[in-house]
Amino acid sequence: MPHVIVDYSANLKDFEPRPLLLQINTALVETGYCEALDIKSRAHMDDVFVIGLGAEQQAYVHVKVYLLSGRDQQQKQEIGKNGEFKHEVRQFQKPYDNQQAEQISLMV
């Protein structure tokens, strides 16, 4: 069962994580390797964070996808390389309340 965890900085005031979670879940199902009811997704806003030395106001969205047993290495690589899946994460690299999500990362 896949687990999706989205961490994001609190200075993304207008960021709504639910649409991102739904899009990631949909992209995972569309790979053909995941059943919708098996995917567990959640988001956490980080109130306390420092980027670099804290001198600049930057923001981040960090997505981790954990694929538990039941998928071979090839399937995991295909899910990680799926262009649609990465697009769902990258589309959120836009300004929110004058904060740029400059650090977007995806781990599969």
Side-chain angles (χ1 to χ4, degrees):
M1 94 178 40
H3 285 260
V4 176
I5 302 171
V6 175
D7 295 308
Y8 62 98
S9 56
N11 59 344
L12 292 174
K13 300 293 183 197
D14 296 329
F15 179 68
E16 293 291 333
R18 185 173 170 77
L20 175 60
L21 293 174
L22 288 170
Q23 290 176 348
I24 291 171
N25 286 5
T26 299
L28 284 169
V29 169
E30 289 174 352
T31 66
Y33 296 125
C34 304
E35 296 292 328
L37 291 177
D38 292 338
I39 303 168
K40 309 294 186 262
S41 299
R42 53 211 171 270
H44 305 279
M45 180 175 64
D46 297 330
D47 289 318
V48 179
F49 64 93
V50 176
I51 298 174
L53 298 177
E56 294 185 32
Q57 286 289 13
Q58 292 187 1
Y60 64 86
V61 176
H62 180 73
V63 178
K64 295 174 272 191
V65 178
Y66 294 98
L67 300 172
L68 306 179
S69 62
R71 285 161 197 83
D72 61 35
Q73 190 61 31
Q74 179 183 346
Q75 291 172 331
K76 291 177 183 179
Q77 288 176 344
E78 287 179 26
I79 290 170
K81 291 179 182 177
N82 184 316
E84 277 300 309
F85 179 64
K86 289 184 179 181
H87 171 73
E88 302 304 339
V89 176
R90 294 282 176 215
Q91 76 167 330
F92 284 86
Q93 190 169 3
K94 59 184 181 180
Y96 289 94
D97 197 24
N98 295 322
Q99 296 298 321
Q100 180 70 28
E102 294 180 8
Q103 299 183 8
I104 305 270
S105 56
L106 169 65
M107 294 177 66
V108 177

